Amino acid sequence: MRHIHRTPASLAAVFAAAILLAGCSAGAADSYGAGGSSAEYDAPVAVDGGEQADEASDGTADRALVITGSITITADDPIAAAEKATAITAAAGGRVDARQQYAPRDGDAGRATLTLRIPASALEGVRDQLAELGSVDETLTDSVDVGTEQRDLDTRITTLRASIDRYTGWLADADTTKDLIELESAISERQNELESLEAQQRALADSVAMSTITLELRSQALAPPPEGPTDFWSAVAAGWASFVGFWSAVLVALGMGLPWLVLVGVVIAVVVWIARRAGRSTPAS
């Protein structure tokens, strides 16, 4: 076995190197305390995604579906059916976001269009109740899985909140004006981004929780009235109405032509009078 003999000079060199490394570590720690830039403050936050990764690999992560659709129904009275649809939606915990109604005209009984927000868990039951309002002409449903987007928003919000907390702690320990300005600016920027992400998170959660269904209620056009009489008495009534209408039209025509008839009569009378006077004044040969 070889024995290593350390000289006093080599021991002194090792001791000096240890002291130098300790001083460098302390200086690096101090740079995060007060004198560093905003980039130095923005240390990465470790996010434990192991559990989420395991869920994704196993396929057990919950799906978040945004369901939209439309239903077209022919009803005897669309306006009354719209009132019933509103009551059905409210009873299920939903709401009506938009409503348009059209009064009866051109031979129909009116129309109504409603935008319904229905709890996703109650959608099937509400749809069955709406089908009882009349004859279902068309049903369309579409669903989009936004689970990945929802989890991404949750992660980003958690990271931003941790970052804001960390910056707030550094702000309390800052002892220079430059550090205060940089930290306050960084906190404000992250706070604005956090509020935007939280708004997106709320909107997405509402879209998942409340399905959007556009309900169109319409009526069949009424049958046109018959073009002619269908029995004896209706024929008599139609004939009498035609008789009265004819002489009424004649009287109207006479009333309109009477001034012209008077004028023509006066002209004819003047011409005849002149002709007679001319005949009397001519001597017989």
Side-chain angles (χ1 to χ4, degrees), residues 164-179:
I164 291 173
D165 291 341
R166 187 172 62 256
Y167 273 68
T168 302
W170 289 336
L171 182 64
D173 296 334
D175 54 3
T176 67
T177 303
K178 178 182 178 181
D179 291 340

Side-chain angles (χ1 to χ4, degrees), residues 10-281:
S10 62
L11 292 175
V14 172
F15 184 71
I19 294 176
L20 180 60
L21 289 175
C24 291
S25 299
D30 292 339
S31 67
Y32 275 91
S37 63
S38 60
E40 291 172 338
Y41 286 111
D42 196 7
V45 177
V47 178
D48 185 8
E51 183 177 353
Q52 293 182 358
D54 292 340
E55 289 182 354
S57 62
D58 296 340
T60 58
D62 293 336
R63 299 178 65 195
L65 299 179
V66 175
I67 302 175
T68 58
S70 63
I71 303 175
T72 302
I73 296 177
T74 298
D76 295 334
D77 188 348
I79 307 303
E83 297 294 338
K84 294 180 181 179
T86 301
I88 291 172
T89 302
R95 64 181 186 270
V96 178
D97 276 2
R99 178 170 179 164
Q100 292 178 320
Q101 290 187 181
Y102 303 90
R105 61 180 180 181
D106 298 333
D108 65 13
R111 292 179 293 124
T113 303
L114 288 74
T115 301
L116 307 177
R117 301 298 308 280
I118 305 169
S121 58
L123 180 59
E124 292 300 326
V126 171
R127 189 161 54 184
D128 292 341
Q129 295 182 64
L130 293 177
E132 299 175 359
L133 298 177
S135 175
V136 179
D137 300 323
E138 185 179 42
T139 300
L140 299 175
T141 305
D142 186 28
S143 61
V144 178
D145 188 357
V146 295
T148 301
E149 182 180 355
Q150 200 171 47
R151 288 188 292 273
D152 178 65
L153 278 174
D154 293 343
T155 301
R156 293 172 64 187
I157 288 173
T158 300
T159 301
L160 267 177
R161 287 174 178 169
S163 178
I164 291 173
D165 291 341
R166 187 172 62 256
Y167 273 68
T168 302
W170 289 336
L171 182 64
D173 296 334
D175 54 3
T176 67
T177 303
K178 178 182 178 181
D179 291 340
L180 289 172
I181 294 175
E182 290 180 351
L183 289 170
E184 289 176 351
S185 176
I187 292 173
S188 177
E189 178 182 351
R190 284 157 178 76
Q191 188 65 44
N192 291 336
E193 184 179 358
L194 176 62
E195 292 174 359
S196 176
L197 292 177
E198 287 176 339
Q200 297 178 39
Q201 184 186 49
R202 290 191 297 268
L204 190 60
D206 181 70
S207 298
V208 171
M210 304 290 285
S211 302
T212 303
I213 300 296
T214 300
L215 175 64
E216 181 179 355
L217 297 164
R218 59 189 183 184
S219 66
Q220 293 180 344
L222 300 178
E227 296 181 356
T230 57
D231 53 34
F232 174 78
W233 293 110
S234 61
V236 171
W240 175 254
S242 176
F243 177 81
V244 172
F246 171 76
W247 288 110
S248 297
V250 170
L251 290 176
V252 171
L254 287 175
M256 296 179 62
L258 184 59
W260 297 99
L261 292 175
V262 172
L263 178 61
V264 171
V266 170
V267 172
I268 292 175
V270 170
V271 171
V272 170
W273 180 77
I274 293 174
R276 286 181 178 179
R277 278 187 65 96
R280 290 176 183 177
S281 62

Side-chain angles (χ1 to χ4, degrees), residues 1-19:
M1 179 180 296
R2 296 179 61 187
H3 296 278
I4 299 175
H5 298 280
R6 298 185 182 273
T7 64
S10 62
L11 292 175
V14 172
F15 184 71
I19 294 176

